[in-house]
C-alpha cells in the first residue's frame, strides 16, 4: 500500500480545461494563463469604455514606476492602443531617489519601454525639488509615504505636462482602491472618498484615470508571472505605512469573504452620490505662492517646501 503524499492535479481552467493558474474566488472560476491574459484585457477595456477613460485624440501619460502594477498597466494599454493612430501613449517614470530600490525599478521601466517601443520621460525629485527623497527624509522616515505621495503627484503631473498629455493613467488596482476606502474611514476622513471619486473628471487638471481599478493585485501578479515577469523589490519605506497593515487585514478578509473589496468600493459610490459628487473642502482657490489649485491658502507642495527647505 502506498502511504506517500497524494499528487493532486491542478484545478482545470473553467473556459478550456487546461491547468489553471488562478482561482478567481469572487466569481468562483479558475483560469489558465491564456484565459487570464484575455480576461484582464477584456475587463480593463470595459472599465476604460464604460468610464470614457480614453477617447480618440487622447495622449495618455502612463505612470510607470517599473513595479508590477504599472508594468501590467503599460502592457495592457499597449495591447489595447499600441496599434491605434488616434491614441498616443507616453510612459512617465518618477525617480524619487530611494537608494537600493529605485535603481532596479527604473532599469526595469527602461527595458519595458524599449521592448514595446513607447516614448519615455523620466523626472526626478532631484531635478524638480533639488534633492532626493532619501535626503529629505533624514529622520522623518515614518512620514515617508505622505511626503513622497505629495511630491510624486507633482512630479507625475510635470512629466505628463512635458508629454503634452490629455490623461494621466496610474496603476492603482482594486486592492489599492479598497485599502484607500478603509483607510479614509479609519482616519475619520470620509469626505476624502468624495474628493477621490471626483478626480477622474476634474476639468482643470489633466484628468487621472485608473484602468486597473477593478483588477485584484493577485490577478496582476499572476498575469505578469505567466508572461515570465516576476515581482520587483518593495520600497524600503513601505514598512512605515498604515496602508501595509490595512493591506494585510483586507487580504485576509477577501480570502475568507470573497467580494469584500468590491463591496468596500460600493461605499465610495454611495458616499459620493449622497454628497452629489462634491466634498466640502474641495479645491476652491489657488495657492498664494505657486498659483496651483488648492483648498486652503497654501498648497501641500508649498507647505512641504517650507518644512523640508527646498
Ligand atoms: Fe513613496 Fe511610500 Fe511608495 Fe515608497 S512606498 S515609493 S515612500 S509612497
Ligand atoms: Zn483557459
Amino acid at each position: 500500500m502506498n502511504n506517500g503524499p497524494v499528487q493532486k492535479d491542478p484545478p482545470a481552467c473553467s473556459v478550456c480545461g487546461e491547468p489553471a493558474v488562478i482561482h478567481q474566488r469572487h466569481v468562483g472560476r479558475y483560469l489558465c494563463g491564456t484565459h487570464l491574459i484575455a480576461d484582464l484585457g477584456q475587463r480593463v477595456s470595459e472599465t476604460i469604455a464604460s468610464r470614457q477613460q480614453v477617447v480618440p485624440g487622447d495622449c495618455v501619460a502612463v505612470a510607470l514606476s517599473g513595479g508590477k502594477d504599472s508594468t501590467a498597466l503599460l502592457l495592457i494599454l499597449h495591447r489595447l492602443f499600441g496599434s491605434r493612430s488616434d491614441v498616443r501613449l507616453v510612459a512617465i517614470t518618477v525617480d524619487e531617489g530611494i537608494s537600493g530600490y529605485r535603481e532596479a525599478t527604473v532599469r526595469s521601466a527602461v527595458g519595458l519601454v524599449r521592448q514595446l517601443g513607447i516614448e519615455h520621460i523620466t523626472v526626478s525629485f532631484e531635478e524638480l525639488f533639488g534633492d532626493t527623497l532619501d535626503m529629505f527624509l533624514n529622520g522623518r522616515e515614518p512620514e515617508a509615504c505622505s511626503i513622497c505621495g505629495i511630491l510624486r503627484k507633482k512630479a507625475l503631473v510635470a512629466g505628463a505636462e512635458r508629454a503634452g498629455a490629455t490623461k494621466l493613467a496610474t496603476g492603482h488596482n482594486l486592492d489599492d482602491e479598497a485599502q484607500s476606502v478603509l483607510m479614509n474611514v479609519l482616519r475619520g476622513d470620509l469626505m476624502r472618498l468624495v474628493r477621490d471619486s471626483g478626480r477622474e473628471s476634474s476639468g482643470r487638471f489633466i484628468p487621472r484615470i485608473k484602468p486597473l481599478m477593478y483588477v485584484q493585485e493577485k490577478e496582476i501578479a499572476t498575469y505578469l508571472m505567466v508572461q515570465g515577469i516576476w515581482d520587483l523589490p518593495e520600497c524600503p519605506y513601505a514598512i512605515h505605512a498604515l496602508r501595509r497593515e490595512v493591506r494585510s487585514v483586507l487580504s485576509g478578509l477577501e480570502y475568507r469573504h470573497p467580494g469584500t473589496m468590491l463591496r468596500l468600493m460600493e461605499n465610495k459610490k454611495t458616499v459620493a452620490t449622497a454628497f452629489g459628487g462634491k466634498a466640502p473642502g474641495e479645491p476652491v482657490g489657488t495657492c498664494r505662492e505657486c498659483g496651483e489649485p488648492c483648498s486652503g491658502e497654501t498648497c501641500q507642495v508649498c507647505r512641504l517646501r517650507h518644512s523640508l527647505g527646498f
Side-chain angles (χ1 to χ4, degrees), residues 61-63 70 73 156 168-173 208-213:
V62 186
S70 64
L73 175 64
L156 271 178
L168 173 55
T170 59
H172 293 91
N173 59 42
R208 295 188 159 227
I209 58 170
K210 298 174 183 173
L212 302 183
M213 63 191 291

Side-chain angles (χ1 to χ4, degrees), residues 193-212:
L193 285 187
V194 189
R195 289 200 289 275
D196 284 355
S197 340
R199 215 172 263 163
E200 279 199 344
S201 53
S202 45
R204 218 177 138 176
F205 315 89
I206 299 176
R208 295 188 159 227
I209 58 170
K210 298 174 183 173
L212 302 183

Side-chain angles (χ1 to χ4, degrees), residues 65 94 96 98 101-102 125 133 137 141 143-150 152 234-241 243:
S65 69
V94 175
E96 306 89 347
I98 304 173
Y101 160 68
R102 194 41 98 206
F125 278 15
L133 182 67
L137 290 179
E141 287 76 12
E143 296 167 76
C145 293
S146 40
I147 293 176
C148 178
I150 293 168
R152 268 182 67 81
E234 194 180 15
C235 173
Y237 296 122
I239 48 163
H240 300 290
R243 184 174 284 277

Side-chain angles (χ1 to χ4, degrees), residues 35-287:
H35 285 108
L36 174 66
I37 292 173
D39 178 59
L40 253 57
Q42 174 69 25
R43 279 160 54 205
V44 172
S45 163
E46 280 165 13
T47 301
I48 291 174
S50 70
R51 305 173 79 91
Q52 292 195 302
Q53 290 182 332
V54 180
V55 294
D58 264 340
C59 168
V60 184
V62 186
L64 177 68
S65 69
K68 62 179 173 17
D69 297 325
S70 64
T71 298
L73 175 64
L74 192 65
L75 284 169
I76 294 174
L77 291 182
H78 180 255
R79 279 201 181 118
L80 293 175
F81 300 108
S83 57
R84 292 227 333 227
S85 58
D86 58 345
V87 174
R88 185 175 146 231
L89 295 178
V90 184
I92 313 287
T93 299
V94 175
D95 182 357
E96 306 89 347
I98 304 173
S99 74
Y101 160 68
R102 194 41 98 206
E103 300 88 343
T105 51
V106 168
R107 263 199 308 279
S108 154
V110 169
L112 182 66
V113 291
R114 277 201 193 131
Q115 178 201 327
L116 300 177
I118 288 177
E119 202 182 320
H120 190 207
I121 292 175
T122 302
V123 282
S124 70
F125 278 15
E126 206 161 4
E127 151 206 354
L128 289 177
F129 312 116
D131 221 330
T132 60
L133 182 67
D134 286 341
M135 292 308 287
F136 284 138
L137 290 179
N138 191 20
R140 296 178 67 170
E141 287 76 12
E143 296 167 76
C145 293
S146 40
I147 293 176
C148 178
I150 293 168
L151 298 181
R152 268 182 67 81
K153 226 178 263 174
K154 175 93 180 160
L156 271 178
V157 171
E161 281 173 354
R162 227 175 265 178
T166 52
K167 298 282 166 62
L168 173 55
T170 59
H172 293 91
N173 59 42
L174 178 60
D175 297 54
D176 298 324
E177 293 297 286
Q179 285 157 17
S180 297
V181 172
L182 196 51
M183 281 165 69
N184 289 336
V185 172
L186 294 175
R187 285 182 176 134
D189 192 1
L190 214 53
M191 286 311 129
R192 197 152 158 179
L193 285 187
V194 189
R195 289 200 289 275
D196 284 355
S197 340
R199 215 172 263 163
E200 279 199 344
S201 53
S202 45
R204 218 177 138 176
F205 315 89
I206 299 176
R208 295 188 159 227
I209 58 170
K210 298 174 183 173
L212 302 183
M213 63 191 291
Y214 291 116
V215 181
Q216 285 189 18
E217 191 176 302
K218 101 171 176 182
E219 296 177 301
I220 292 172
T222 314
Y223 170 89
L224 292 176
M225 207 183 67
V226 297
Q227 296 177 81
I229 303 169
W230 298 87
D231 204 0
L232 285 147
E234 194 180 15
C235 173
Y237 296 122
I239 48 163
H240 300 290
L242 166 67
R243 184 174 284 277
R244 196 181 165 98
E245 289 174 54
V246 169
R247 176 185 175 187
S248 131
V249 170
L250 204 51
S251 56
L253 284 171
E254 178 66 36
Y255 184 79
R256 288 186 299 279
H257 310 282
T260 296
M261 292 199 284
L262 278 171
R263 286 191 293 276
L264 260 175
M265 293 278 282
E266 286 301 312
N267 285 297
K268 192 166 167 172
K269 269 193 221 153
T270 312
V271 176
T273 312
F275 284 90
K278 210 148 179 69
E282 228 175 320
V284 283
T286 49
C287 170

